PDB file of all heavy atoms in Angstrom:
ATOM      1  N   PHE T1269      -0.181  33.792 -23.660  1.00  0.00           N
ATOM      2  CA  PHE T1269      -0.665  32.527 -24.221  1.00  0.00           C
ATOM      3  C   PHE T1269      -1.288  32.750 -25.597  1.00  0.00           C
ATOM      4  O   PHE T1269      -1.118  31.918 -26.502  1.00  0.00           O
ATOM      5  CB  PHE T1269      -1.655  31.868 -23.263  1.00  0.00           C
ATOM      6  CG  PHE T1269      -1.017  31.356 -22.002  1.00  0.00           C
ATOM      7  CD1 PHE T1269      -1.130  32.057 -20.812  1.00  0.00           C
ATOM      8  CD2 PHE T1269      -0.281  30.182 -22.011  1.00  0.00           C
ATOM      9  CE1 PHE T1269      -0.530  31.597 -19.644  1.00  0.00           C
ATOM     10  CE2 PHE T1269       0.320  29.705 -20.855  1.00  0.00           C
ATOM     11  CZ  PHE T1269       0.200  30.413 -19.664  1.00  0.00           C
ATOM     12  N   ASP T1270      -1.976  33.883 -25.766  1.00  0.00           N
ATOM     13  CA  ASP T1270      -2.533  34.202 -27.085  1.00  0.00           C
ATOM     14  C   ASP T1270      -1.418  34.403 -28.117  1.00  0.00           C
ATOM     15  O   ASP T1270      -1.528  33.946 -29.261  1.00  0.00           O
ATOM     16  CB  ASP T1270      -3.394  35.465 -27.001  1.00  0.00           C
ATOM     17  CG  ASP T1270      -4.676  35.262 -26.206  1.00  0.00           C
ATOM     18  OD1 ASP T1270      -5.076  34.096 -26.007  1.00  0.00           O
ATOM     19  OD2 ASP T1270      -5.265  36.272 -25.768  1.00  0.00           O
ATOM     20  N   GLU T1271      -0.333  35.076 -27.711  1.00  0.00           N
ATOM     21  CA  GLU T1271       0.805  35.288 -28.616  1.00  0.00           C
ATOM     22  C   GLU T1271       1.424  33.960 -29.035  1.00  0.00           C
ATOM     23  O   GLU T1271       1.787  33.771 -30.208  1.00  0.00           O
ATOM     24  CB  GLU T1271       1.873  36.146 -27.927  1.00  0.00           C
ATOM     25  CG  GLU T1271       1.542  37.611 -27.739  1.00  0.00           C
ATOM     26  CD  GLU T1271       2.655  38.332 -26.989  1.00  0.00           C
ATOM     27  OE1 GLU T1271       3.758  38.459 -27.556  1.00  0.00           O
ATOM     28  OE2 GLU T1271       2.423  38.754 -25.842  1.00  0.00           O
ATOM     29  N   VAL T1272       1.569  33.056 -28.090  1.00  0.00           N
ATOM     30  CA  VAL T1272       2.164  31.751 -28.388  1.00  0.00           C
ATOM     31  C   VAL T1272       1.248  30.942 -29.295  1.00  0.00           C
ATOM     32  O   VAL T1272       1.698  30.323 -30.270  1.00  0.00           O
ATOM     33  CB  VAL T1272       2.478  30.997 -27.084  1.00  0.00           C
ATOM     34  CG1 VAL T1272       2.886  29.554 -27.370  1.00  0.00           C
ATOM     35  CG2 VAL T1272       3.583  31.719 -26.316  1.00  0.00           C
ATOM     36  N   ASP T1273      -0.051  30.959 -29.012  1.00  0.00           N
ATOM     37  CA  ASP T1273      -1.011  30.255 -29.875  1.00  0.00           C
ATOM     38  C   ASP T1273      -0.927  30.760 -31.308  1.00  0.00           C
ATOM     39  O   ASP T1273      -0.900  29.975 -32.270  1.00  0.00           O
ATOM     40  CB  ASP T1273      -2.441  30.442 -29.351  1.00  0.00           C
ATOM     41  CG  ASP T1273      -2.721  29.652 -28.075  1.00  0.00           C
ATOM     42  OD1 ASP T1273      -1.882  28.807 -27.702  1.00  0.00           O
ATOM     43  OD2 ASP T1273      -3.783  29.890 -27.460  1.00  0.00           O
ATOM     44  N   GLU T1274      -0.873  32.070 -31.463  1.00  0.00           N
ATOM     45  CA  GLU T1274      -0.814  32.663 -32.802  1.00  0.00           C
ATOM     46  C   GLU T1274       0.505  32.313 -33.494  1.00  0.00           C
ATOM     47  O   GLU T1274       0.523  31.986 -34.683  1.00  0.00           O
ATOM     48  CB  GLU T1274      -0.979  34.178 -32.710  1.00  0.00           C
ATOM     49  CG  GLU T1274      -1.002  34.858 -34.078  1.00  0.00           C
ATOM     50  CD  GLU T1274      -1.276  36.342 -33.984  1.00  0.00           C
ATOM     51  OE1 GLU T1274      -1.567  36.835 -32.881  1.00  0.00           O
ATOM     52  OE2 GLU T1274      -1.206  37.017 -35.039  1.00  0.00           O
ATOM     53  N   ALA T1275       1.587  32.375 -32.758  1.00  0.00           N
ATOM     54  CA  ALA T1275       2.899  32.097 -33.353  1.00  0.00           C
ATOM     55  C   ALA T1275       3.000  30.660 -33.852  1.00  0.00           C
ATOM     56  O   ALA T1275       3.617  30.387 -34.890  1.00  0.00           O
ATOM     57  CB  ALA T1275       4.001  32.372 -32.340  1.00  0.00           C
ATOM     58  N   LEU T1276       2.380  29.732 -33.121  1.00  0.00           N
ATOM     59  CA  LEU T1276       2.464  28.315 -33.486  1.00  0.00           C
ATOM     60  C   LEU T1276       1.327  27.877 -34.401  1.00  0.00           C
ATOM     61  O   LEU T1276       1.368  26.770 -34.947  1.00  0.00           O
ATOM     62  CB  LEU T1276       2.469  27.453 -32.218  1.00  0.00           C
ATOM     63  CG  LEU T1276       3.647  27.664 -31.264  1.00  0.00           C
ATOM     64  CD1 LEU T1276       3.524  26.741 -30.058  1.00  0.00           C
ATOM     65  CD2 LEU T1276       4.976  27.446 -31.970  1.00  0.00           C
ATOM     66  N   GLY T1277       0.311  28.720 -34.541  1.00  0.00           N
ATOM     67  CA  GLY T1277      -0.819  28.359 -35.384  1.00  0.00           C
ATOM     68  C   GLY T1277      -1.677  27.260 -34.802  1.00  0.00           C
ATOM     69  O   GLY T1277      -2.309  26.481 -35.538  1.00  0.00           O
ATOM     70  N   GLU T1278      -1.728  27.174 -33.479  1.00  0.00           N
ATOM     71  CA  GLU T1278      -2.543  26.159 -32.805  1.00  0.00           C
ATOM     72  C   GLU T1278      -2.848  26.621 -31.387  1.00  0.00           C
ATOM     73  O   GLU T1278      -2.187  27.532 -30.873  1.00  0.00           O
ATOM     74  CB  GLU T1278      -1.820  24.810 -32.761  1.00  0.00           C
ATOM     75  CG  GLU T1278      -0.546  24.846 -31.938  1.00  0.00           C
ATOM     76  CD  GLU T1278       0.193  23.524 -31.939  1.00  0.00           C
ATOM     77  OE1 GLU T1278       0.752  23.155 -32.997  1.00  0.00           O
ATOM     78  OE2 GLU T1278       0.228  22.880 -30.887  1.00  0.00           O
ATOM     79  N   ARG T1279      -3.810  25.974 -30.743  1.00  0.00           N
ATOM     80  CA  ARG T1279      -4.181  26.358 -29.388  1.00  0.00           C
ATOM     81  C   ARG T1279      -3.350  25.568 -28.373  1.00  0.00           C
ATOM     82  O   ARG T1279      -3.857  24.656 -27.711  1.00  0.00           O
ATOM     83  CB  ARG T1279      -5.676  26.128 -29.170  1.00  0.00           C
ATOM     84  CG  ARG T1279      -6.585  27.085 -29.928  1.00  0.00           C
ATOM     85  CD  ARG T1279      -6.423  28.509 -29.407  1.00  0.00           C
ATOM     86  NE  ARG T1279      -6.706  28.619 -27.980  1.00  0.00           N
ATOM     87  CZ  ARG T1279      -7.922  28.727 -27.466  1.00  0.00           C
ATOM     88  NH1 ARG T1279      -8.980  28.750 -28.262  1.00  0.00           N
ATOM     89  NH2 ARG T1279      -8.095  28.809 -26.163  1.00  0.00           N
ATOM     90  N   LEU T1280      -2.095  25.920 -28.265  1.00  0.00           N
ATOM     91  CA  LEU T1280      -1.259  25.263 -27.259  1.00  0.00           C
ATOM     92  C   LEU T1280      -1.815  25.526 -25.862  1.00  0.00           C
ATOM     93  O   LEU T1280      -1.704  24.676 -24.976  1.00  0.00           O
ATOM     94  CB  LEU T1280       0.181  25.768 -27.359  1.00  0.00           C
ATOM     95  CG  LEU T1280       1.199  25.077 -26.439  1.00  0.00           C
ATOM     96  CD1 LEU T1280       1.375  23.613 -26.814  1.00  0.00           C
ATOM     97  CD2 LEU T1280       2.546  25.802 -26.465  1.00  0.00           C
ATOM     98  N   SER T1281      -2.442  26.689 -25.678  1.00  0.00           N
ATOM     99  CA  SER T1281      -3.010  27.005 -24.364  1.00  0.00           C
ATOM    100  C   SER T1281      -4.072  25.993 -23.954  1.00  0.00           C
ATOM    101  O   SER T1281      -4.169  25.638 -22.765  1.00  0.00           O
ATOM    102  CB  SER T1281      -3.593  28.418 -24.362  1.00  0.00           C
ATOM    103  OG  SER T1281      -4.598  28.548 -25.356  1.00  0.00           O
ATOM    104  N   SER T1282      -4.849  25.490 -24.891  1.00  0.00           N
ATOM    105  CA  SER T1282      -5.863  24.475 -24.565  1.00  0.00           C
ATOM    106  C   SER T1282      -5.204  23.190 -24.090  1.00  0.00           C
ATOM    107  O   SER T1282      -5.687  22.536 -23.158  1.00  0.00           O
ATOM    108  CB  SER T1282      -6.746  24.194 -25.786  1.00  0.00           C
ATOM    109  OG  SER T1282      -7.512  25.335 -26.127  1.00  0.00           O
ATOM    110  N   LEU T1283      -4.094  22.821 -24.743  1.00  0.00           N
ATOM    111  CA  LEU T1283      -3.359  21.639 -24.303  1.00  0.00           C
ATOM    112  C   LEU T1283      -2.797  21.854 -22.904  1.00  0.00           C
ATOM    113  O   LEU T1283      -2.875  20.962 -22.047  1.00  0.00           O
ATOM    114  CB  LEU T1283      -2.226  21.329 -25.288  1.00  0.00           C
ATOM    115  CG  LEU T1283      -1.227  20.245 -24.868  1.00  0.00           C
ATOM    116  CD1 LEU T1283      -1.938  18.911 -24.665  1.00  0.00           C
ATOM    117  CD2 LEU T1283      -0.114  20.121 -25.897  1.00  0.00           C
ATOM    118  N   ILE T1284      -2.248  23.039 -22.647  1.00  0.00           N
ATOM    119  CA  ILE T1284      -1.647  23.321 -21.345  1.00  0.00           C
ATOM    120  C   ILE T1284      -2.695  23.239 -20.235  1.00  0.00           C
ATOM    121  O   ILE T1284      -2.430  22.702 -19.148  1.00  0.00           O
ATOM    122  CB  ILE T1284      -0.990  24.714 -21.344  1.00  0.00           C
ATOM    123  CG1 ILE T1284       0.164  24.768 -22.350  1.00  0.00           C
ATOM    124  CG2 ILE T1284      -0.484  25.083 -19.944  1.00  0.00           C
ATOM    125  CD1 ILE T1284       0.684  26.180 -22.592  1.00  0.00           C
ATOM    126  N   TRP T1285      -3.873  23.745 -20.488  1.00  0.00           N
ATOM    127  CA  TRP T1285      -4.870  23.868 -19.423  1.00  0.00           C
ATOM    128  C   TRP T1285      -5.860  22.707 -19.360  1.00  0.00           C
ATOM    129  O   TRP T1285      -6.399  22.427 -18.293  1.00  0.00           O
ATOM    130  CB  TRP T1285      -5.636  25.181 -19.590  1.00  0.00           C
ATOM    131  CG  TRP T1285      -4.761  26.383 -19.442  1.00  0.00           C
ATOM    132  CD1 TRP T1285      -3.603  26.468 -18.721  1.00  0.00           C
ATOM    133  CD2 TRP T1285      -4.941  27.672 -20.039  1.00  0.00           C
ATOM    134  NE1 TRP T1285      -3.059  27.723 -18.826  1.00  0.00           N
ATOM    135  CE2 TRP T1285      -3.859  28.492 -19.628  1.00  0.00           C
ATOM    136  CE3 TRP T1285      -5.920  28.220 -20.871  1.00  0.00           C
ATOM    137  CZ2 TRP T1285      -3.726  29.820 -20.019  1.00  0.00           C
ATOM    138  CZ3 TRP T1285      -5.777  29.540 -21.266  1.00  0.00           C
ATOM    139  CH2 TRP T1285      -4.709  30.336 -20.845  1.00  0.00           C
ATOM    140  N   GLU T1286      -6.092  22.046 -20.483  1.00  0.00           N
ATOM    141  CA  GLU T1286      -7.164  21.035 -20.516  1.00  0.00           C
ATOM    142  C   GLU T1286      -6.750  19.729 -21.173  1.00  0.00           C
ATOM    143  O   GLU T1286      -7.568  18.818 -21.321  1.00  0.00           O
ATOM    144  CB  GLU T1286      -8.374  21.600 -21.271  1.00  0.00           C
ATOM    145  CG  GLU T1286      -8.942  22.868 -20.652  1.00  0.00           C
ATOM    146  CD  GLU T1286      -9.812  23.657 -21.628  1.00  0.00           C
ATOM    147  OE1 GLU T1286      -9.925  23.230 -22.793  1.00  0.00           O
ATOM    148  OE2 GLU T1286     -10.350  24.692 -21.208  1.00  0.00           O
ATOM    149  N   GLY T1287      -5.495  19.610 -21.586  1.00  0.00           N
ATOM    150  CA  GLY T1287      -5.072  18.452 -22.352  1.00  0.00           C
ATOM    151  C   GLY T1287      -4.611  17.285 -21.503  1.00  0.00           C
ATOM    152  O   GLY T1287      -4.830  17.239 -20.285  1.00  0.00           O
ATOM    153  N   GLU T1288      -3.940  16.332 -22.162  1.00  0.00           N
ATOM    154  CA  GLU T1288      -3.393  15.157 -21.499  1.00  0.00           C
ATOM    155  C   GLU T1288      -1.914  15.400 -21.209  1.00  0.00           C
ATOM    156  O   GLU T1288      -1.181  15.928 -22.041  1.00  0.00           O
ATOM    157  CB  GLU T1288      -3.548  13.925 -22.403  1.00  0.00           C
ATOM    158  CG  GLU T1288      -4.996  13.558 -22.698  1.00  0.00           C
ATOM    159  CD  GLU T1288      -5.736  13.088 -21.456  1.00  0.00           C
ATOM    160  OE1 GLU T1288      -5.083  12.508 -20.559  1.00  0.00           O
ATOM    161  OE2 GLU T1288      -6.959  13.328 -21.375  1.00  0.00           O
ATOM    162  N   ILE T1289      -1.468  14.976 -20.037  1.00  0.00           N
ATOM    163  CA  ILE T1289      -0.088  15.236 -19.638  1.00  0.00           C
ATOM    164  C   ILE T1289       0.899  14.557 -20.578  1.00  0.00           C
ATOM    165  O   ILE T1289       1.981  15.092 -20.854  1.00  0.00           O
ATOM    166  CB  ILE T1289       0.150  14.819 -18.170  1.00  0.00           C
ATOM    167  CG1 ILE T1289       1.548  15.272 -17.687  1.00  0.00           C
ATOM    168  CG2 ILE T1289      -0.043  13.325 -17.990  1.00  0.00           C
ATOM    169  CD1 ILE T1289       1.777  16.751 -17.696  1.00  0.00           C
ATOM    170  N   ASP T1290       0.556  13.392 -21.115  1.00  0.00           N
ATOM    171  CA  ASP T1290       1.479  12.710 -22.027  1.00  0.00           C
ATOM    172  C   ASP T1290       1.727  13.545 -23.281  1.00  0.00           C
ATOM    173  O   ASP T1290       2.846  13.571 -23.807  1.00  0.00           O
ATOM    174  CB  ASP T1290       0.937  11.337 -22.426  1.00  0.00           C
ATOM    175  CG  ASP T1290       1.012  10.330 -21.278  1.00  0.00           C
ATOM    176  OD1 ASP T1290       1.674  10.632 -20.267  1.00  0.00           O
ATOM    177  OD2 ASP T1290       0.411   9.248 -21.399  1.00  0.00           O
ATOM    178  N   THR T1291       0.689  14.222 -23.752  1.00  0.00           N
ATOM    179  CA  THR T1291       0.839  15.065 -24.945  1.00  0.00           C
ATOM    180  C   THR T1291       1.598  16.334 -24.613  1.00  0.00           C
ATOM    181  O   THR T1291       2.464  16.778 -25.371  1.00  0.00           O
ATOM    182  CB  THR T1291      -0.539  15.417 -25.526  1.00  0.00           C
ATOM    183  OG1 THR T1291      -1.263  14.204 -25.763  1.00  0.00           O
ATOM    184  CG2 THR T1291      -0.407  16.172 -26.843  1.00  0.00           C
ATOM    185  N   LEU T1292       1.303  16.920 -23.463  1.00  0.00           N
ATOM    186  CA  LEU T1292       2.014  18.125 -23.051  1.00  0.00           C
ATOM    187  C   LEU T1292       3.500  17.838 -22.839  1.00  0.00           C
ATOM    188  O   LEU T1292       4.350  18.692 -23.113  1.00  0.00           O
ATOM    189  CB  LEU T1292       1.403  18.682 -21.761  1.00  0.00           C
ATOM    190  CG  LEU T1292       2.054  19.949 -21.189  1.00  0.00           C
ATOM    191  CD1 LEU T1292       1.979  21.109 -22.176  1.00  0.00           C
ATOM    192  CD2 LEU T1292       1.415  20.334 -19.855  1.00  0.00           C
ATOM    193  N   THR T1293       3.815  16.630 -22.375  1.00  0.00           N
ATOM    194  CA  THR T1293       5.194  16.274 -22.064  1.00  0.00           C
ATOM    195  C   THR T1293       6.034  16.031 -23.310  1.00  0.00           C
ATOM    196  O   THR T1293       7.264  16.036 -23.231  1.00  0.00           O
ATOM    197  CB  THR T1293       5.216  15.042 -21.137  1.00  0.00           C
ATOM    198  OG1 THR T1293       4.546  15.386 -19.912  1.00  0.00           O
ATOM    199  CG2 THR T1293       6.612  14.592 -20.789  1.00  0.00           C
ATOM    200  N   LEU T1294       5.408  15.833 -24.470  1.00  0.00           N
ATOM    201  CA  LEU T1294       6.180  15.713 -25.700  1.00  0.00           C
ATOM    202  C   LEU T1294       7.090  16.932 -25.820  1.00  0.00           C
ATOM    203  O   LEU T1294       6.653  18.065 -25.639  1.00  0.00           O
ATOM    204  CB  LEU T1294       5.260  15.605 -26.914  1.00  0.00           C
ATOM    205  CG  LEU T1294       4.426  14.315 -27.029  1.00  0.00           C
ATOM    206  CD1 LEU T1294       3.448  14.430 -28.185  1.00  0.00           C
ATOM    207  CD2 LEU T1294       5.337  13.109 -27.207  1.00  0.00           C
ATOM    208  N   THR T1295       8.333  16.692 -26.161  1.00  0.00           N
ATOM    209  CA  THR T1295       9.348  17.747 -26.129  1.00  0.00           C
ATOM    210  C   THR T1295       8.928  18.979 -26.908  1.00  0.00           C
ATOM    211  O   THR T1295       9.120  20.116 -26.457  1.00  0.00           O
ATOM    212  CB  THR T1295      10.681  17.195 -26.670  1.00  0.00           C
ATOM    213  OG1 THR T1295      11.030  16.046 -25.908  1.00  0.00           O
ATOM    214  CG2 THR T1295      11.784  18.215 -26.545  1.00  0.00           C
ATOM    215  N   GLN T1296       8.331  18.776 -28.091  1.00  0.00           N
ATOM    216  CA  GLN T1296       7.970  19.923 -28.936  1.00  0.00           C
ATOM    217  C   GLN T1296       6.821  20.736 -28.344  1.00  0.00           C
ATOM    218  O   GLN T1296       6.623  21.895 -28.719  1.00  0.00           O
ATOM    219  CB  GLN T1296       7.604  19.466 -30.353  1.00  0.00           C
ATOM    220  CG  GLN T1296       6.368  18.587 -30.443  1.00  0.00           C
ATOM    221  CD  GLN T1296       6.698  17.117 -30.448  1.00  0.00           C
ATOM    222  OE1 GLN T1296       7.701  16.683 -29.878  1.00  0.00           O
ATOM    223  NE2 GLN T1296       5.872  16.321 -31.120  1.00  0.00           N
ATOM    224  N   ASN T1297       6.065  20.154 -27.403  1.00  0.00           N
ATOM    225  CA  ASN T1297       4.999  20.883 -26.714  1.00  0.00           C
ATOM    226  C   ASN T1297       5.474  21.465 -25.384  1.00  0.00           C
ATOM    227  O   ASN T1297       5.171  22.616 -25.044  1.00  0.00           O
ATOM    228  CB  ASN T1297       3.800  19.970 -26.466  1.00  0.00           C
ATOM    229  CG  ASN T1297       3.106  19.556 -27.747  1.00  0.00           C
ATOM    230  OD1 ASN T1297       3.075  20.308 -28.721  1.00  0.00           O
ATOM    231  ND2 ASN T1297       2.556  18.352 -27.762  1.00  0.00           N
ATOM    232  N   ALA T1298       6.210  20.659 -24.632  1.00  0.00           N
ATOM    233  CA  ALA T1298       6.630  21.093 -23.295  1.00  0.00           C
ATOM    234  C   ALA T1298       7.511  22.338 -23.357  1.00  0.00           C
ATOM    235  O   ALA T1298       7.382  23.241 -22.521  1.00  0.00           O
ATOM    236  CB  ALA T1298       7.374  19.962 -22.588  1.00  0.00           C
ATOM    237  N   GLN T1299       8.390  22.405 -24.361  1.00  0.00           N
ATOM    238  CA  GLN T1299       9.334  23.519 -24.383  1.00  0.00           C
ATOM    239  C   GLN T1299       8.644  24.873 -24.594  1.00  0.00           C
ATOM    240  O   GLN T1299       8.828  25.789 -23.779  1.00  0.00           O
ATOM    241  CB  GLN T1299      10.424  23.258 -25.422  1.00  0.00           C
ATOM    242  CG  GLN T1299      11.287  22.038 -25.047  1.00  0.00           C
ATOM    243  CD  GLN T1299      12.628  22.004 -25.745  1.00  0.00           C
ATOM    244  OE1 GLN T1299      13.088  22.990 -26.309  1.00  0.00           O
ATOM    245  NE2 GLN T1299      13.283  20.853 -25.697  1.00  0.00           N
ATOM    246  N   PRO T1300       7.814  25.063 -25.637  1.00  0.00           N
ATOM    247  CA  PRO T1300       7.129  26.355 -25.750  1.00  0.00           C
ATOM    248  C   PRO T1300       6.114  26.581 -24.634  1.00  0.00           C
ATOM    249  O   PRO T1300       5.879  27.724 -24.223  1.00  0.00           O
ATOM    250  CB  PRO T1300       6.463  26.301 -27.127  1.00  0.00           C
ATOM    251  CG  PRO T1300       6.391  24.859 -27.483  1.00  0.00           C
ATOM    252  CD  PRO T1300       7.566  24.214 -26.819  1.00  0.00           C
ATOM    253  N   ALA T1301       5.523  25.503 -24.110  1.00  0.00           N
ATOM    254  CA  ALA T1301       4.522  25.651 -23.045  1.00  0.00           C
ATOM    255  C   ALA T1301       5.159  26.188 -21.767  1.00  0.00           C
ATOM    256  O   ALA T1301       4.588  27.050 -21.088  1.00  0.00           O
ATOM    257  CB  ALA T1301       3.845  24.310 -22.771  1.00  0.00           C
ATOM    258  N   LEU T1302       6.326  25.690 -21.427  1.00  0.00           N
ATOM    259  CA  LEU T1302       7.001  26.161 -20.223  1.00  0.00           C
ATOM    260  C   LEU T1302       7.462  27.604 -20.383  1.00  0.00           C
ATOM    261  O   LEU T1302       7.385  28.399 -19.434  1.00  0.00           O
ATOM    262  CB  LEU T1302       8.176  25.244 -19.888  1.00  0.00           C
ATOM    263  CG  LEU T1302       7.745  23.902 -19.282  1.00  0.00           C
ATOM    264  CD1 LEU T1302       8.865  22.878 -19.386  1.00  0.00           C
ATOM    265  CD2 LEU T1302       7.304  24.076 -17.832  1.00  0.00           C
ATOM    266  N   MET T1303       7.934  27.953 -21.580  1.00  0.00           N
ATOM    267  CA  MET T1303       8.302  29.351 -21.832  1.00  0.00           C
ATOM    268  C   MET T1303       7.086  30.256 -21.685  1.00  0.00           C
ATOM    269  O   MET T1303       7.155  31.329 -21.070  1.00  0.00           O
ATOM    270  CB  MET T1303       8.922  29.489 -23.231  1.00  0.00           C
ATOM    271  CG  MET T1303       9.385  30.881 -23.610  1.00  0.00           C
ATOM    272  SD  MET T1303       8.082  32.017 -24.192  1.00  0.00           S
ATOM    273  CE  MET T1303       7.536  31.149 -25.685  1.00  0.00           C
ATOM    274  N   ALA T1304       5.952  29.838 -22.248  1.00  0.00           N
ATOM    275  CA  ALA T1304       4.735  30.648 -22.161  1.00  0.00           C
ATOM    276  C   ALA T1304       4.325  30.878 -20.707  1.00  0.00           C
ATOM    277  O   ALA T1304       3.961  31.996 -20.320  1.00  0.00           O
ATOM    278  CB  ALA T1304       3.603  29.969 -22.927  1.00  0.00           C
ATOM    279  N   THR T1305       4.412  29.829 -19.898  1.00  0.00           N
ATOM    280  CA  THR T1305       4.027  29.953 -18.493  1.00  0.00           C
ATOM    281  C   THR T1305       4.975  30.884 -17.744  1.00  0.00           C
ATOM    282  O   THR T1305       4.555  31.720 -16.934  1.00  0.00           O
ATOM    283  CB  THR T1305       3.994  28.566 -17.836  1.00  0.00           C
ATOM    284  OG1 THR T1305       3.087  27.727 -18.576  1.00  0.00           O
ATOM    285  CG2 THR T1305       3.536  28.643 -16.393  1.00  0.00           C
ATOM    286  N   SER T1306       6.270  30.755 -18.021  1.00  0.00           N
ATOM    287  CA  SER T1306       7.235  31.652 -17.387  1.00  0.00           C
ATOM    288  C   SER T1306       6.988  33.099 -17.785  1.00  0.00           C
ATOM    289  O   SER T1306       7.035  34.013 -16.948  1.00  0.00           O
ATOM    290  CB  SER T1306       8.661  31.251 -17.770  1.00  0.00           C
ATOM    291  OG  SER T1306       9.055  30.064 -17.116  1.00  0.00           O
ATOM    292  N   MET T1307       6.711  33.331 -19.068  1.00  0.00           N
ATOM    293  CA  MET T1307       6.481  34.698 -19.520  1.00  0.00           C
ATOM    294  C   MET T1307       5.151  35.254 -19.011  1.00  0.00           C
ATOM    295  O   MET T1307       5.035  36.457 -18.758  1.00  0.00           O
ATOM    296  CB  MET T1307       6.555  34.767 -21.044  1.00  0.00           C
ATOM    297  CG  MET T1307       7.971  34.770 -21.575  1.00  0.00           C
ATOM    298  SD  MET T1307       9.012  36.060 -20.825  1.00  0.00           S
ATOM    299  CE  MET T1307       8.080  37.539 -21.257  1.00  0.00           C
TER     300      MET T1307
END
C-alpha cells in the first residue's frame, strides 16, 4: 500500500480503508486499489 501511495502521489490507502465507497468505486480508484489489495 505504501508503494502504491508513492507511485500515485496520494494516499489511496486512506481512501481504501477510511473513505467513501462511492469514491473508491470510481474506476480510476477501484482499479489500482484492487490490485494493491491483491498484491
Side-chain angles (χ1 to χ4, degrees):
F1269 291 102
D1270 291 342
E1271 288 177 67
V1272 171
D1273 288 350
E1274 183 175 354
L1276 298 180
E1278 64 182 70
R1279 290 294 302 278
L1280 185 65
S1281 59
S1282 294
L1283 171 61
I1284 297 169
W1285 297 333
E1286 301 161 358
E1288 297 293 330
I1289 188 62
D1290 288 348
T1291 305
L1292 179 60
T1293 298
L1294 292 173
T1295 304
Q1296 64 265 29
N1297 293 328
Q1299 295 200 15
L1302 285 162
M1303 182 279 297
T1305 303
S1306 287
M1307 282 307 301

